[in-house]
Amino acid sequence: PRAINLSKLESNGSMPSGDSVQSAAISTFFWLLSGNTCWLLLPPIVMFTRVYFVCHWVCDTIVGAIIGGLISYAVLQFS
């Protein structure tokens, strides 16, 4: 199979990583509702793939995960 260079397809590498924000928000939400810690495995997997495919820097994904987790926490606390 032919290799696909995903970094060329990515046109706007940004801070923070939107994929990391979404995965952390969703997993934090379900973790806080269910108490099942398996949900916490999702963000590191997404963060790794974003860095592996050279779409983001490590710090982009870390900041994104923090923002996503805080948003979910805040939504559940204030709703």
Side-chain angles (χ1 to χ4, degrees):
R2 193 171 65 185
I4 299 172
N5 188 354
L6 292 178
S7 62
K8 289 183 180 179
L9 297 176
E10 182 73 30
S11 62
N12 61 345
S14 63
M15 169 74 142
S17 167
D19 296 314
S20 296
V21 171
Q22 291 174 7
S23 68
I26 290 168
S27 64
T28 302
F29 180 80
F30 286 121
W31 169 59
L32 290 173
L33 287 180
S34 69
N36 186 353
T37 56
C38 289
W39 285 105
L40 299 179
L41 296 175
L42 180 63
I45 294 169
V46 171
M47 293 164 64
F48 173 77
T49 59
R50 299 307 291 167
V51 174
Y52 181 80
F53 290 118
V54 194
C55 295
H56 287 285
W57 295 100
V58 174
C59 291
D60 298 348
T61 62
I62 292 171
V63 171
I66 291 170
I67 291 171
L70 290 175
I71 288 171
S72 257
Y73 179 78
V75 165
L76 287 174
Q77 285 296 316
F78 299 113
S79 62

